[in-house]
Amino acid sequence: GYSQNTFFAESFIDEMAAASGKDPLEFRRRLLSKQPRLLGVLNLAAEKIGWNTPPAPGRFRGIGLSNNIGSFEAQIAEVSVVKGQLRVHRVVCAVDCGYTVNPATIAHQIRGGIVFGLTAALKGAITIDRGRVEQGNFNNYEMLRIDEMPAVEVHIVPSREPPGGIGEPGLPPLAPAVANALFAAPGKRGRRLPIRGG
């Protein structure tokens, strides 16, 4: 449930920020004043992507947060839309998964979650024809290709908290981060998956 529910919740939070005329980062910071671990990953991701510095011309940023199986994560996606085609250029992730045993494993798991999450967010449509699913295998259910993969940075918050899980947390914040960046483009508010650029 984390994948779709995080998409709904984080997209709605972004909508509330836009409706109130607030910066999405500052809006979330106020909401998280009593949740130090989520606030910590949000602040670290914002610092590492340079939130206060405008992105390159034609690029836009969006935020996604999750608290999943004892791990807290923030992802900020940087996207562009050219001729209706959405391209994710960069994802900066900060994770607090408690006490860290093997940082390389954490980074690899997060990157894998981002690949899977981006595939689902951009290409994960299932179509039905006369009551039957049309996709049968990877020949007609597209996966993310290597040339579509964004640059990914993973930053781990040092912690003495009990270890959380790391197998799933890389996926849930990705779709809302991309959808929120697309809205900032300025684009339409994506309320359905997969996300379409134009």
Side-chain angles (χ1 to χ4, degrees):
Y2 278 101
S3 56
Q4 67 265 25
N5 290 327
T6 301
F7 174 71
F8 303 142
E10 282 296 299
S11 296
F12 185 62
I13 288 170
D14 207 70
E15 286 197 43
M16 289 191 297
S20 64
K22 305 285 186 201
D23 174 81
L25 174 65
E26 294 306 322
F27 188 82
R28 283 175 173 82
R29 281 178 169 158
R30 291 184 65 148
L31 292 176
L32 297 174
S33 62
K34 296 182 180 176
Q35 297 186 53
R37 293 180 76 184
L38 270 174
L39 182 59
V41 292
L42 176 62
N43 287 336
L44 181 58
E47 174 195 332
K48 295 300 184 180
I49 204 162
W51 185 268
N52 293 325
T53 303
R59 293 192 183 185
F60 303 88
R61 295 177 181 147
I63 299 170
L65 296 172
S66 71
N67 169 4
N68 182 2
I69 58 175
S71 292
F72 302 81
E73 190 171 330
Q75 290 182 12
I76 302 177
E78 192 171 282
V79 310
S80 66
V81 181
V82 177
K83 296 181 181 176
Q85 294 298 309
L86 173 65
R87 172 83 188 195
V88 182
H89 297 276
R90 184 178 176 204
V91 176
V92 172
C93 173
V95 61
D96 177 350
C97 56
Y99 185 79
T100 299
V101 176
N102 187 336
T105 296
I106 294 166
H108 292 315
Q109 285 289 123
I110 296 294
R111 286 188 188 98
I114 288 170
V115 172
F116 188 68
L118 199 52
T119 295
L122 301 181
K123 301 173 180 253
I126 296 291
T127 56
I128 309 292
D129 181 37
R130 291 178 286 174
R132 300 181 77 182
V133 172
E134 294 183 296
Q135 293 74 26
N137 209 326
F138 294 122
N139 64 317
N140 53 14
Y141 183 80
E142 274 193 83
M143 300 298 291
L144 192 71
R145 304 288 193 245
I146 195 166
D147 65 326
E148 298 170 304
M149 184 65 188
V152 176
E153 298 172 32
V154 179
H155 302 280
I156 301 168
V157 175
S159 177
R160 291 289 178 187
E161 296 289 335
I166 205 63
E168 296 176 17
L171 188 143
L174 196 277
V178 171
N180 293 338
L182 177 62
F183 178 71
K188 60 184 179 182
R189 173 64 68 185
R191 292 190 177 96
R192 298 179 67 113
L193 294 174
I195 299 165
R196 303 293 184 212

